[in-house]
Amino acid sequence: MHELSVTQSILDIALRHAENAGARRITRLNLVIGDLAGIIDESVQFYWDIIGRDTIAEGAELCFERRPAVLRCVGCGHTYPMDGLEYSCPICHAEHIVVVGGKEFQLESIEVE
Ligand SMILES: [Zn+2]
């Protein structure tokens, strides 16, 4: 159900921008999803097909760009992308880390006609 609300907000934003631009149709949406956002592409696509119906965004293509989780070592300050399930610092091997990226979910751009 999480994806339904985020998909709805993306549709709202896209429609507002398209309207401001005087577009007749939205053809493509470019989305950025962090690996830690907890959002599944297929679910967004599934809801998109339902809620986009009968709007100028109907049939628009969704393009997902995945961003890896980014961690920072508290010990040495090194910042690095998470590699699989390995999260300890590659420099000092400490396991005291904080998440500094990878939770984003945003609409980067839309294409209209
Ligand atoms: Zn470190």
Side-chain angles (χ1 to χ4, degrees):
M1 285 312 286
H2 178 53
E3 279 86 354
L4 176 56
S5 58
V6 298
T7 308
Q8 182 67 57
S9 63
I10 279 172
L11 177 63
D12 292 343
I13 295 167
L15 290 177
R16 200 165 62 231
H17 281 291
E19 204 169 297
N20 289 343
R24 285 179 297 114
R25 238 169 65 78
I26 298 172
T27 53
R28 178 175 161 138
L29 289 89
N30 297 309
L31 305 163
V32 171
I33 304 181
D35 274 348
L36 298 178
I39 290 171
I40 301 162
D41 306 9
E42 289 79 11
S43 298
V44 174
Q45 183 71 60
F46 173 78
Y47 289 122
W48 178 257
D49 291 341
I50 297 170
I51 65 174
R53 221 170 271 165
D54 298 324
T55 72
I56 61 168
E58 181 171 358
E61 187 188 356
L62 297 183
C63 296
F64 300 96
E65 186 193 327
R66 284 269 163 191
R67 294 266 169 89
V70 180
L71 309 174
R72 189 174 67 227
C73 173
V74 174
C76 72
H78 182 58
T79 301
Y80 53 99
M82 189 166 159
D83 181 16
L85 292 174
E86 185 57 57
Y87 63 88
S88 59
C89 176
I91 304 295
C92 71
H93 306 290
E95 293 186 354
H96 190 186
I97 51 98
V98 289
V99 176
V100 293
K103 290 181 180 172
E104 58 271 64
F105 180 67
Q106 65 201 46
L107 178 60
E108 191 145 270
S109 60
I110 66 173
E111 289 168 30
V112 299
E113 51 174 47

